[in-house]
């Protein structure tokens, strides 16, 4: 295996901005103290994986398209001590918030039995650790794993759309790999890129059909940059630096405090959208005369690529890569209108009609496209496909603005307006076409725009969770104060000032996963 592995560090100052470093040091020290009190020994290491905020590109990763998140400073930590005797494979995982999250203890089963039982219907926090643990052992074919004593601490708000669950899975993957790496052949430690792929697969054990953005960002993010993450034909992560402006660009995250638990609501929300977009991809392919792969499966990015290969598309000389992508995505929007633009399809189709359009029996469609439970009376092909192609176009434009703003000598006002306009358009599409907003997100994003944000949108799947707003850095304190007064004091007057600081905050772009082996 080649490429960079997860960084091993002995100084946490590289993980946090100066305003947050002191509180981070106190939290890490508290974790070590609690670990010693719980297990009677010091941890051998601490695994760390951050949450993320998706700046733009919602619900398009599982359609094969690129997205643009950044890692945030809030993160998941797992302190670990390893049993090196070889006699005990027992795993114990506890949480610093033990009153809310009960401990789990298990002895791993043989590989053929999947190491550890995970019931996707039992929505318990420890499933996310078990998923990462199982994913690593299966991928690396470890038969007799070492025992692990673990204590987890998390600051990513649960259900806020900031990827708390994926941060936990990634951290479990990181922790399990570090604990078991001495059992691997020399030179066979997985790269960070490979760990991101393991994390993507692992999270599916808890019952969600994610596309991989959350895990790729948590593992592979670089400091001071967003991540342009592509999934097709292979996972690829490219750092995208923000343009230098005066004042600087800042992103403020505001949690609606409406919990959106993917594992609980997946059958009627997240997993359903995956099925709708993949059903739309198959039907578009049939309409365009594109051969269906032998597997029977394809996503909307594959349809786009196959369509332009089929028609022999040749870009006009001198066009940039971004201009070419925008042209293709614009045409695919027109294709969606032609294929799905009838009133019958625009209003949603029954499962029977979906299967008919897909040229599959209900049994065969279910076998190919419904790997996780879903519930729906109607399937919205037009709106989902329209959103996906339009949202990817906005991602391309957002990245292009960031990369070219300085060369074009664009003013801060111009940069803010262009990027903010794309964020606002994304929110509109999420609300009107993908049906993944909610009343509180609509209220909060509208308030953000009135309060000085150049753009504001939901982030992290929606249906609750958080918003992200683009705000000039010098306006951040006043902006946050307004949100506290007009949203949180109105809806959540019981929150203390400290609690408010944990639900509405600015975050610097963070680095990705790391393993700490020093002294706090």
């Amino acid at each position: 295996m080649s490429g960079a592995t997860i960084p091993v560090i002995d100084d946490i100052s590289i993980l946090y901005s100066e305003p947050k470093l002191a509180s981070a040091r106190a939290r890490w020290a508290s974790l070590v103290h609690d670990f010693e009190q719980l297990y009677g020994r010091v941890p051998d290491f601490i695994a760390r994986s951050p949450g993320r905020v998706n700046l733009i590109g919602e619900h398009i990763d599982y359609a094969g398209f690129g997205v643009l998140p950044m890692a945030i400073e809030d993160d998941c930590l797992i302190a670990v001590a390893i049993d090196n005797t070889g006699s005990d494979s027992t795993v114990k995982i506890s949480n610093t918030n033990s009153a809310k999250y009960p401990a789990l203890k298990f002895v791993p089963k043989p590989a053929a039995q999947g190491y550890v039982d995970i019931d996707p219907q039992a929505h318990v926090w420890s499933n996310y650790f078990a998923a990462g643990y199982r994913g690593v052992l299966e991928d690396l074919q470890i038969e007799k794993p070492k025992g692990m004593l673990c204590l987890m601490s998390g600051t990513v708000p649960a259900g806020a759309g900031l990827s708390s669950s994926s941060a936990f899975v990634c951290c479990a993957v990181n922790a399990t790999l570090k604990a078991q790496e001495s059992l691997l052949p020399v030179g066979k430690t997985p790269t960070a890129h490979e760990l991101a792929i393991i994390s993507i697969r692992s999270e599916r054990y808890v019952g969600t059909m994610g596309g991989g953005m959350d895990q790729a960002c948590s593992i592979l993010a670089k400091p001071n940059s967003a991540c342009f993450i592509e999934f097709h034909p292979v996972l690829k992560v490219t750092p995208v630096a923000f343009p230098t402006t005066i004042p600087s660009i800042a992103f403020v995250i505001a949690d609606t405090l409406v919990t959106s638990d993917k594992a609980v609501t997946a059958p009627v929300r997240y997993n359903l959208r995956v099925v709708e977009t993949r059903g739309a991809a198959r039907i578009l392919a049939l309409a365009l005369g594109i051969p269906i792969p032998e597997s029977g499966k394809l996503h909307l990015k594959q349809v786009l690529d196959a369509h332009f290969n089929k028609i022999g598309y040749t870009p006009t000389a001198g066009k940039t890569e971004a201009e070419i992508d925008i042209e293709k995505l614009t045409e695919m929007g027109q294709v969606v209108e032609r294929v799905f633009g009838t009133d019958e399809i625009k209003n949603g189709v029954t499962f029977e009609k979906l299967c008919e359009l897909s040229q599959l029996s209900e049994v065969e469609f279910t076998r190919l496209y419904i790997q996780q439970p879903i519930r729906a009376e109607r399937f919205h092909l037009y709106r989902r496909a329209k959103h996906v192609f339009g949202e990817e176009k906005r991602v391309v434009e957002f990245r292009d603005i960031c990369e070219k703003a300085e060369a074009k000598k664009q003013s801060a006002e111009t940069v803010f307006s262009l990027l903010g306009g794309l964020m606002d358009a994304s929110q509109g599409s999420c609300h009107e076409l993908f049906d993944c907003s909610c009343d509180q997100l609509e209220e909060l994003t509208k308030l953000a725009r009135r309060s000085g944000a150049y753009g504001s949108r939901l982030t992290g799947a929606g249906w609750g969770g958080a918003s992200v707003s683009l705000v000039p850095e010098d306006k951040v304190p006043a902006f946050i104060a307004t949100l506290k007064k007009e949203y949180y004091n109105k809806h959540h007057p019981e929150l203390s000032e400290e609690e408010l600081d944990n639900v509405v905050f600015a975050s610097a772009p963070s680095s990705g996963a790391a393993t700490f082996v020093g002294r706090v």
Side-chain angles (χ1 to χ4, degrees):
M1 298 178 183
S2 60
T5 56
I6 294 289
V8 177
I9 63 173
D10 59 7
D11 180 5
I12 70 167
S13 66
I14 64 174
L15 302 176
Y16 304 99
S17 62
E18 187 59 35
K20 298 190 177 181
L21 183 56
S23 62
R25 288 194 191 281
R27 173 176 161 238
W28 283 62
S30 178
L31 175 63
V32 172
H33 174 268
D34 291 349
F35 189 97
E36 292 184 69
Q37 293 295 306
L38 181 63
Y39 295 120
R41 58 180 290 190
V42 297
D44 293 314
F45 64 89
I46 299 174
R48 183 257 183 182
S49 292
R52 63 96 191 95
V53 58
N54 191 24
L55 301 177
I56 197 159
E58 218 63 66
H59 287 286
I60 61 175
D61 53 344
Y62 50 80
F65 284 109
V67 293
L68 197 67
M70 74 177 195
I72 60 175
E73 294 171 286
D74 288 272
D75 53 20
C76 174
L77 308 177
I78 302 178
V80 180
I82 312 165
D83 180 89
N84 285 310
T85 67
S87 61
D88 187 2
S89 292
T90 301
V91 175
K92 298 179 182 179
I93 173 72
S94 296
N95 195 298
T96 53
N97 186 356
S98 58
K100 184 174 182 180
Y101 301 111
L104 171 70
K105 176 182 176 180
F106 65 90
V107 177
K109 300 189 298 183
Q113 298 177 32
Y115 295 102
V116 56
D117 293 326
I118 303 171
D119 179 4
Q121 303 305 314
H123 305 298
V124 295
W125 77 281
S126 51
N127 270 0
Y128 296 99
F129 176 86
Y133 176 85
R134 176 176 173 177
V136 171
L137 300 191
E138 284 186 340
D139 192 88
L140 302 180
Q141 300 180 336
I142 295 174
E143 288 289 341
K144 296 181 179 180
K146 294 183 176 184
M148 299 171 61
L149 303 176
C150 308
L151 181 61
M152 181 266 200
S153 168
T155 58
V156 187
L162 300 176
S163 193
S164 59
S165 57
S166 295
F168 191 9
V169 171
C170 290
C171 201
V173 165
N174 184 10
T176 304
L177 172 66
K178 182 64 177 175
Q180 311 298 334
E181 67 178 355
S182 64
L183 302 178
L184 301 177
V186 176
K188 294 297 183 181
T189 300
T191 65
H193 186 277
E194 289 163 334
L195 277 193
I197 294 172
I198 292 173
S199 299
I200 293 167
R201 289 200 297 261
S202 296
E203 192 163 341
R204 291 170 186 165
Y205 287 127
V206 300
T208 56
M209 298 167 63
M213 168 183 64
D214 300 349
Q215 302 88 347
C217 186
S218 186
I219 296 285
L220 298 169
K222 300 297 182 185
N224 305 314
S225 300
C227 301
F228 180 62
I229 305 176
E230 300 169 90
F231 303 93
H232 182 76
V234 296
L235 179 66
K236 180 182 178 183
V237 178
T238 305
V240 177
F242 297 111
T244 301
T245 58
I246 302 175
S248 298
I249 291 173
F251 292 99
V252 175
I253 300 160
D255 188 352
T256 62
L257 296 177
V258 176
T259 299
S260 177
D261 188 330
K262 283 194 299 186
V264 174
T265 63
V268 293
R269 292 177 175 173
Y270 197 92
N271 291 351
L272 176 59
R273 298 300 186 275
V274 175
V275 172
E276 288 174 317
T277 58
R278 292 187 177 165
R282 180 185 180 92
I283 297 164
L284 286 176
L286 292 168
L288 294 169
I290 294 168
I292 305 296
E294 288 186 13
S295 68
K297 301 177 182 179
L298 76 170
H299 50 56
L300 289 167
K301 177 64 163 63
Q302 289 170 295
V303 174
L304 179 147
D305 290 341
H307 171 62
F308 286 99
N309 287 337
K310 183 173 182 289
I311 66 174
Y313 170 82
T314 303
T316 305
K319 281 195 173 181
T320 66
E321 181 179 346
E323 289 169 340
I324 293 168
D325 288 342
I326 290 167
E327 184 176 57
K328 289 180 177 180
L329 290 160
T330 300
E331 180 170 330
M332 290 308 297
Q334 295 166 355
V335 169
V336 170
E337 293 287 349
R338 292 199 302 270
V339 178
F340 294 142
T342 65
D343 288 341
E344 177 188 22
I345 296 178
K346 277 188 172 183
N347 292 327
V349 298
T350 63
F351 184 62
E352 292 75 15
K353 185 64 175 180
L354 172 63
C355 295
E356 177 189 326
L357 293 170
S358 301
Q359 298 180 13
L360 293 170
S361 68
E362 293 182 21
V363 170
E364 190 65 5
F365 187 97
T366 300
R367 183 185 71 81
L368 286 173
Y369 297 110
I370 307 180
Q371 281 75 52
Q372 303 288 354
I374 65 166
R375 298 193 304 273
E377 293 184 3
R378 306 195 79 79
F379 295 78
H380 293 280
L381 307 172
Y382 168 82
R383 288 173 19 206
R384 308 315 183 224
K386 191 80 170 175
H387 167 80
V388 169
F389 290 124
E391 185 76 346
E392 175 61 7
K393 182 180 173 183
R394 287 184 284 273
V395 170
V396 173
E397 292 171 335
F398 197 104
R399 178 188 178 186
D400 196 51
I401 292 165
C402 287
E403 292 180 335
K404 294 178 180 177
E406 293 184 40
K408 291 182 176 181
K409 298 182 179 180
Q410 290 175 321
S411 67
E413 176 69 24
T414 298
V415 172
F416 292 159
S417 296
L418 290 173
L419 295 180
L422 292 171
M423 294 174 70
D424 287 346
S426 174
Q427 174 62 23
S429 184
C430 286
H431 174 56
E432 296 164 12
L433 297 177
F434 222 76
D435 299 312
C436 61
S437 189
C438 68
D439 291 344
Q440 292 85 350
L441 279 166
E442 292 301 305
E443 178 183 351
L444 194 51
T445 54
K446 289 175 183 175
L447 172 61
R449 295 181 198 110
R450 293 198 308 270
S451 305
Y454 280 79
S456 187
R457 61 179 297 277
L458 65 83
T459 185
W463 297 295
S467 66
V468 58
S469 302
L470 190 160
V471 182
E473 187 177 48
D474 61 341
K475 299 293 193 295
V476 166
F479 177 81
I480 290 177
T482 300
L483 265 56
K484 287 180 178 179
K485 177 182 178 181
E486 298 190 23
Y487 180 83
Y488 295 100
N489 289 351
K490 172 184 173 184
H491 295 291
H492 300 280
E494 75 283 1
L495 295 179
S496 67
E497 192 63 28
E498 181 180 357
E499 289 171 324
L500 284 173
D501 289 340
N502 291 327
V503 296
V504 55
F505 54 90
S507 180
S510 173
S511 57
T515 305
F516 177 79
V517 294
R519 294 180 62 85
V520 178

